[in-house]
């Protein structure tokens, strides 16, 4: 039996995060999706719902973390990996550290608000008590294209801009 490489598994899981991002776009929210994986299965899933919920904290990562914590019955998510289509912002990166996520894998880099390497390095800050392994650029082109297409369509439609 053929076993997939870690890189191939990251791509497979990122495809699931992309599907969640498409759900956000369908709801006219910024298409970012996230999943939490533990022991080879998805235990939490989220997509941006800021518009739907009128909640500034309703980011994909926060919703996926909440779902995962509910699934395992505990806020500590050791042994878990979060896959997200866009580099986490400062709020989400802070939540990942506080949740004790083992690993963060993201797609597109966010040079304007990224807090996992682009603008800030929250997940790698040695002053914090937890530092998840952080890897970016997995299916970056696909993740970035979803965002680019969404914002391009918004600019064309003045009522949605």
């Amino acid at each position: 039996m053929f076993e997939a490489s870690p890189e191939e598994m990251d791509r497979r899981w990122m495809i699931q995060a992309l599907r969640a991002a498409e759900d956000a776009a369908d709801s006219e929210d910024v298409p970012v999706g996230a999943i939490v994986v533990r022991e080879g299965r998805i235990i939490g899933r989220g997509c941006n719902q800021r518009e739907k919920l009128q909640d500034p904290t309703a980011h994909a990562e926060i919703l996926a973390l909440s779902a995962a914590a509910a699934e395992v019955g505990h806020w500590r998510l050791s042994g878990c990996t979060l896959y997200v289509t866009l580099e986490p912002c400062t709020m989400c990166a802070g939540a990942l550290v506080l949740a004790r996520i083992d690993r963060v894998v993201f797609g597109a880099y966010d040079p304007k608000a990224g807090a996992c390497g682009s603008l800030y390095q929250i997940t790698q800050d040695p002053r914090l008590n937890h530092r998840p392994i952080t890897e970016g650029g997995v299916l970056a082109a696909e993740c970035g294209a979803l965002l680019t297409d969404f914002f391009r369509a918004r600019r064309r439609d003045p009522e949605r801009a």
Side-chain angles (χ1 to χ4, degrees):
M1 178 181 210
F2 174 75
E3 260 190 60
S5 69
E7 295 81 13
E8 181 59 30
M9 290 307 300
D10 284 348
R11 287 190 289 276
R12 289 180 187 181
W13 290 122
M14 189 61 73
I15 289 168
Q16 297 301 313
L18 275 163
R19 288 184 179 147
E22 290 166 356
D23 292 343
D26 290 345
S27 297
E28 299 199 17
D29 216 318
V30 176
V32 177
I35 62 168
V36 178
V37 174
R38 183 182 210 176
E39 297 175 354
R41 71 179 190 94
I42 297 173
I43 62 165
R45 184 178 191 277
C47 66
N48 273 2
Q49 293 189 40
R50 292 181 306 170
E51 297 298 332
K52 181 179 180 180
L53 300 177
Q54 290 300 296
D55 179 351
T57 68
H59 288 206
E61 301 95 320
I62 300 298
L63 298 173
L65 289 174
S66 292
E71 174 71 19
V72 300
H74 200 279
W75 63 267
R76 272 192 192 93
L77 296 175
S78 300
C80 297
T81 298
L82 178 118
Y83 292 87
V84 61
T85 56
L86 180 65
E87 180 181 358
C89 69
T90 54
M91 174 182 70
C92 294
L96 293 165
V97 169
L98 294 173
R100 310 299 195 272
I101 283 280
D102 283 0
R103 193 165 164 250
V104 178
V105 179
F106 65 87
Y109 284 86
D110 185 353
K112 293 183 180 180
C116 294
S118 288
L119 191 58
Y120 301 105
Q121 293 78 33
I122 290 174
T123 56
Q124 297 307 303
D125 191 321
R127 296 170 294 182
L128 300 176
N129 67 338
H130 179 73
R131 289 182 294 284
I133 296 166
T134 305
E135 299 174 41
V138 175
L139 298 182
E142 294 87 339
C143 294
L146 190 60
L147 289 158
T148 299
D149 293 347
F150 175 82
F151 286 113
R152 184 176 293 133
R154 275 235 154 131
R155 286 190 295 275
R156 278 190 236 142
D157 183 354
E159 289 186 26
R160 290 176 52 196

